[in-house]
């Protein structure tokens, strides 16, 4: 085992609300490709007519492949590089509040460098009355995982909100771990809030964290992407 392997297996993660690809899609692809992630956790991905081909086209524009998600998870999409092996997937739908949008989550059992982890993504409601129950449903799945968890989400509230605290409990907030919680993720036009987060199992080391704020990112979506470098724990 090399010295690097003894410390952990590196993994680069991007979590990104892509605003249903309503903005500059060429800029969107350029932002993701420049980040060179191993996995991307997408919110507001393709979820309606021809969603499979649209998801595949989106992934290809990033230089990645589809791992999990789509309409069964209501627009949450997990993408992966060929470095990552996907061993299993599942989707979750939160209970529907009449008159509101459906929300859900996507999960993938992944492996890289001989290390397995659970990749998860969700997008909570804009309605503060709905978010706590959705956060609790997401958290139950994360808490039941036997693998180290990597969870990216657009929580639609900041760290002082109850839904955020529910999801964050027992996990490491990557921004706090890197002492960069002052980096706002929304909106690109007027960034004043951190509502997009990446949470990881405490056994996972946060090496670096960034909110990608570039001219291209400001054209690509209404959210900035969260980019995190991790070291996954090696057993033994």
């Amino acid at each position: 085992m090399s010295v690097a392997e003894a410390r952990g297996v590196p993994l680069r993660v991007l979590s990104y609300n892509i605003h249903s690809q309503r903005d500059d899609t060429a800029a969107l692809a350029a932002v993701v490709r420049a980040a060179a992630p191993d996995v991307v956790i997408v919110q507001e991905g393709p979820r309606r007519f021809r969603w499979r081909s649209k998801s595949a086209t989106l992934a290809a524009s990033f230089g990645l492949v589809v791992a999990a998600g789509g309409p069964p998870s209501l627009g949450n999409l997990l993408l992966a590089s060929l470095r990552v092996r996907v061993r299993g997937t599942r989707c979750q739908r939160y209970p529907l509040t009449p008159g509101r949008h459906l929300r859900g989550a996507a999960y993938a059992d992944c492996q890289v460098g001989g290390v397995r982890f659970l990749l998860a993504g969700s997008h909570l409601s804009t309605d503060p009355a709905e978010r706590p129950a959705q956060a609790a449903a997401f958290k139950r799945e994360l808490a039941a995982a036997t693998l180290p968890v990597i969870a990216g989400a657009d929580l639609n509230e900041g760290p002082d909100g109850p839904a955020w605290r529910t999801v964050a409990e027992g996990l490491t907030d990557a921004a706090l771990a890197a002492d960069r919680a002052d980096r706002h993720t929304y909106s690109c036009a007027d960034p004043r809030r951190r509502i997009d987060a990446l949470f990881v199992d405490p056994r996972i080391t946060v090496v670096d964290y960034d909110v990608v704020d570039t001219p291209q990112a400001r054209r690509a979506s209404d959210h900035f992407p969260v980019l995190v470098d991790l070291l996954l724990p090696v057993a033994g």
Side-chain angles (χ1 to χ4, degrees):
M1 181 183 293
S2 69
V3 173
E5 288 172 331
R7 293 177 56 234
V9 174
L11 186 79
R12 175 167 282 191
V13 182
L14 193 76
S15 186
Y16 203 174
N17 183 321
I18 64 170
H19 200 208
S20 300
Q21 298 172 268
R22 298 174 188 167
D23 304 297
D24 187 332
T25 55
L28 177 66
V31 168
V32 176
R33 283 183 174 271
D38 295 301
V39 292
V40 179
I41 303 167
V42 173
Q43 298 90 41
E44 294 195 30
R47 55 178 293 183
R48 293 185 177 89
F49 180 65
R50 296 177 55 217
W51 67 269
R52 288 183 178 84
S53 61
K54 289 177 180 177
S55 296
T57 298
L58 175 68
S61 75
F62 295 165
L64 303 170
V65 297
V66 175
S73 63
L74 302 165
N76 295 287
L77 192 64
L78 305 178
L79 310 178
S81 72
L82 296 181
R83 177 174 176 251
V84 178
R85 177 185 175 190
V86 179
R87 301 169 60 101
T89 67
R90 68 183 187 277
C91 295
Q92 177 184 20
R93 291 191 174 193
Y94 303 139
L96 173 64
T97 301
R100 301 293 184 182
H101 293 296
L102 281 165
R103 302 280 180 169
Y107 305 88
D109 175 349
C110 298
Q111 181 173 332
V112 62
V115 178
R116 288 174 64 186
F117 60 95
L118 179 69
L119 188 68
S122 187
H123 184 190
L124 303 189
S125 175
T126 57
D127 184 343
E130 284 189 302
R131 284 197 297 270
Q134 294 175 354
F138 187 42
K139 185 63 176 183
R140 282 194 293 272
E141 294 293 322
L142 301 180
T146 57
L147 299 174
V149 166
I150 300 171
D154 172 1
L155 298 164
N156 267 310
E157 68 180 35
D160 58 343
W164 183 296
R165 291 194 297 268
T166 294
V167 177
E169 183 180 0
L171 299 174
T172 299
D173 181 336
L176 289 177
D179 195 25
R180 291 180 180 169
D182 59 338
R183 306 286 182 91
H184 296 148
T185 66
Y186 183 82
S187 70
C188 291
D190 185 18
R192 294 187 178 185
R193 306 173 67 199
R194 183 166 79 96
I195 64 173
D196 305 273
L198 190 82
F199 303 105
V200 300
D201 186 289
R203 292 170 289 179
I204 297 173
T205 301
V206 178
V207 177
D208 197 15
Y209 171 96
D210 196 15
V211 172
V212 182
D213 180 354
T214 63
Q216 284 182 321
R218 287 176 179 258
R219 298 197 306 271
S221 177
D222 60 343
H223 289 246
F224 293 121
V226 171
L227 179 64
V228 184
D229 283 305
L230 303 172
L231 281 178
L232 305 179
V234 177

